[in-house]
């Protein structure tokens, strides 16, 4: 057994030595090849000498720059095509957001107290209020024939936002003032049973702090009174910097106006829905109960009851005075 173990040990040592010899030979072979190449370079004639290192580096840098520019151009083309779909193995064109077409247009966002089939009836009430407002504020002469009436351009569109309880009307006619239309509808709030609130948008932009500030800036000429408040609300967008926008808008307002959060003379509205932001400056927004139609109806009913009670009291006092005169 001892002799067998000694033979195996000897064989392993021989294999290890052969491996070391093989590595040494490969190293010597590479060294000889390197020396030969070095000697060949030194024996090159002056007219056959390669270009200086600076020129070679400059050429390499130029090739890298061209390759980088080419890659950038290819990336731009791919970005315009869309994203690469691994399953389809081709570039898929990006779909434009349907909300992008709503920017730079006046609009009205309304909330309803019903959803499902009731939202259709709420939309009918909203359209009826808007039609009455347009007939009173922006009358159009009657068409001479039915064909001419059909050929007239549509002044607004109802947009489906695919959100329960949210209605959206976008105005095509730039002469229509969404704030005036909403105030007219608030004056006839008793005609609505399903609408909860109206929110006018004088301008619609992308939902970012920079775009909102640039949109609100030209609207500050509509400020009235001495006090103001900034109302920023968001729907289906949790990343919008609400507090930063409030501070930025407040800094942009001139000094004569003061902040009043309880009873402001004028309210600056910034309402965000997904990727769009609607902005408006509404004087008397607080007096209209924030354009909350149920609250307006209750306030009108309370005022009417108070006026009736006051008239009844005055009538009783008048009858009592007549009786005293007769006596």
């Amino acid at each position: 057994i001892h002799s067998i173990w000694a033979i195996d040990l000897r064989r392993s040592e021989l294999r290890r030595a052969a491996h070391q010899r093989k590595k040494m030979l490969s190293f010597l072979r590479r060294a000889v090849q390197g020396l030969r190449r070095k000697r060949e370079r030194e024996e090159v004639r002056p007219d056959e000498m390669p270009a200086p290192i600076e020129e070679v580096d400059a050429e390499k840098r130029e090739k890298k720059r061209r390759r980088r520019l080419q890659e950038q151009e290819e990336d731009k083309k791919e970005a315009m095509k869309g994203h690469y779909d691994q399953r389809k193995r081709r570039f898929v064109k990006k779909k434009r957001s349907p909300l992008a077409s709503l920017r730079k247009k006046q609009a009205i966002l309304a909330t309803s107290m019903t959803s499902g089939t009731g939202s259709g009836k709420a939309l009918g009430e909203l359209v009826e209020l808007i039609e009455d407002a347009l007939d009173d504020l922006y009358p159009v002469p009657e068409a001479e024939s039915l064909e001419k009436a059909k050929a007239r351009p549509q002044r607004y569109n109802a947009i489906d936002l695919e959100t329960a309880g949210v209605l959206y009307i976008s105005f095509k006619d730039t002469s229509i003032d969404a704030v005036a239309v909403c105030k007219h509808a608030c004056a006839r709030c008793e005609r609505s049973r399903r609408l909860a609130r109206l929110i006018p948008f004088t301008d619609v932009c992308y939902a970012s702090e920079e775009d909102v500030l640039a949109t609100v800036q030209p609207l500050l000429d509509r400020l009235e009174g001495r006090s103001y408040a900034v109302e920023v609300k968001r729907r289906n967008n949790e990343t919008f910097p609400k507090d930063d926008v409030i501070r930025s808008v407040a800094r942009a307002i001139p000094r004569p106006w003061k902040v009043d959060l309880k009873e402001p003379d004028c309210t600056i509205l910034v309402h965000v829905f997904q990727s769009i932001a609607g902005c408006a400056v509404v004087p008397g927004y607080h007096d209209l109960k924030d354009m909350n139609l149920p609250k307006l109806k209750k306030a009108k009913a309370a005022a009417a009851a108070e006026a009736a009670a006051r008239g009844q009291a005055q009538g009783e006092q008048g009858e009592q005075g007549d009786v005293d005169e007769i006596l």
Side-chain angles (χ1 to χ4, degrees):
I1 293 173
H2 180 73
S3 61
I4 293 172
W5 177 79
I7 291 171
D8 292 341
L9 181 62
R10 181 61 179 168
R11 285 178 180 175
S12 62
E13 290 177 355
L14 291 174
R15 282 196 297 270
R16 193 179 302 110
H19 181 66
Q20 293 291 338
R21 193 182 305 109
K22 188 176 180 180
K23 287 177 63 177
M24 182 61 68
L25 288 175
S26 63
F27 173 75
L28 292 174
R29 193 181 298 111
R30 287 195 301 271
V32 171
Q33 290 176 357
L35 291 173
R36 286 177 181 176
R37 283 195 296 270
K38 184 177 180 181
R39 187 179 298 173
E40 289 174 0
R41 284 197 301 270
E42 291 176 353
E43 292 177 357
V44 176
R45 297 177 183 178
D47 55 345
E48 297 178 357
M49 288 290 290
I53 298 177
E54 293 80 4
E55 296 181 3
V56 175
D57 293 343
E59 187 176 356
K60 288 182 179 179
R61 287 196 297 270
E62 182 65 22
K63 287 183 180 179
K64 287 184 179 179
R65 188 183 68 83
R66 291 176 182 175
R67 192 182 304 113
R68 187 168 59 253
L69 291 176
Q70 186 177 359
E71 291 175 356
Q72 290 177 359
E73 292 295 331
E74 291 177 356
D75 292 342
K76 288 181 181 179
K77 291 180 181 179
E78 292 175 1
M80 292 180 67
K81 292 178 184 177
H83 66 279
Y84 187 79
D85 194 335
Q86 295 287 348
R87 184 173 59 84
K88 298 181 179 179
R89 295 184 180 179
R90 64 182 178 85
F91 283 97
V92 180
K93 192 173 183 180
K94 292 181 180 178
K95 294 182 180 179
R96 191 185 181 194
S97 173
L99 300 179
S101 60
L102 304 179
R103 299 172 192 164
K104 303 299 180 183
K105 295 180 182 178
Q106 297 201 48
I108 295 176
L109 189 144
T111 57
S112 64
M113 295 181 288
T114 58
S115 60
T117 56
S119 61
K121 296 180 180 179
L123 179 61
E125 292 180 359
L126 178 61
V127 169
E128 185 178 354
L129 290 173
I130 290 175
E131 285 289 347
D132 291 344
L134 294 180
D135 291 341
D136 293 343
L137 302 176
Y138 308 97
V140 178
E142 295 184 1
E144 298 177 357
S145 62
L146 183 60
E147 290 76 9
K148 291 185 178 180
K150 291 181 178 180
R152 283 179 177 174
Q154 194 173 3
R155 297 199 281 182
Y156 62 89
N157 274 341
I159 308 298
D160 184 11
L161 298 180
E162 299 180 356
T163 303
V166 179
L167 310 174
Y168 195 91
I169 301 294
S170 178
F171 292 103
K172 290 184 174 181
D173 192 350
T174 57
S175 63
I176 296 176
D177 186 6
V179 176
V181 173
C182 285
K183 287 185 175 181
H184 187 280
C186 289
R188 291 159 176 76
C189 59
E190 61 276 356
R191 300 177 59 180
S192 173
R193 293 185 302 169
R194 297 175 177 85
L195 293 175
R197 190 179 177 190
L198 302 179
I199 305 165
F201 294 159
T202 305
D203 200 355
V204 180
C205 64
Y206 180 72
S208 68
E209 183 179 357
E210 294 78 10
D211 290 351
V212 167
L213 188 60
T215 304
V216 170
Q217 194 75 34
L219 300 179
L220 297 179
D221 297 337
R222 304 188 178 193
L223 284 173
E224 297 180 4
R226 297 182 178 180
S227 60
Y228 73 92
V230 181
E231 180 182 292
V232 179
K233 293 190 176 182
R234 57 190 180 186
R235 289 184 175 88
N236 300 348
N237 188 333
E238 298 299 328
T239 60
F240 184 75
K242 179 179 177 181
D243 297 335
D244 296 342
V245 169
I246 292 175
R247 286 191 289 267
S248 300
V249 173
R251 290 193 205 101
I253 297 174
R255 182 163 295 184
W257 282 274
K258 297 181 180 180
V259 179
D260 187 358
L261 301 179
K262 293 183 178 181
E263 296 181 356
D265 298 331
C266 198
T267 306
I268 301 171
L269 301 179
V270 178
H271 281 247
V272 177
F273 180 82
Q274 293 183 4
S275 62
I276 60 174
C279 307
V281 175
V282 186
Y285 188 71
H286 177 74
D287 298 336
L288 293 173
K289 306 296 180 184
D290 297 345
M291 294 191 177
N292 190 312
L293 301 187
K295 287 184 179 180
L296 275 174
K297 286 192 284 188
K298 288 182 181 179
K300 281 190 174 184
E306 185 179 352
R310 191 183 302 111
Q312 185 178 0
Q314 290 178 356
E316 291 177 356
Q317 290 179 0
E319 291 179 359
Q320 185 67 29
D322 295 340
V323 170
D324 293 340
E325 288 181 0
I326 293 172
L327 296 175

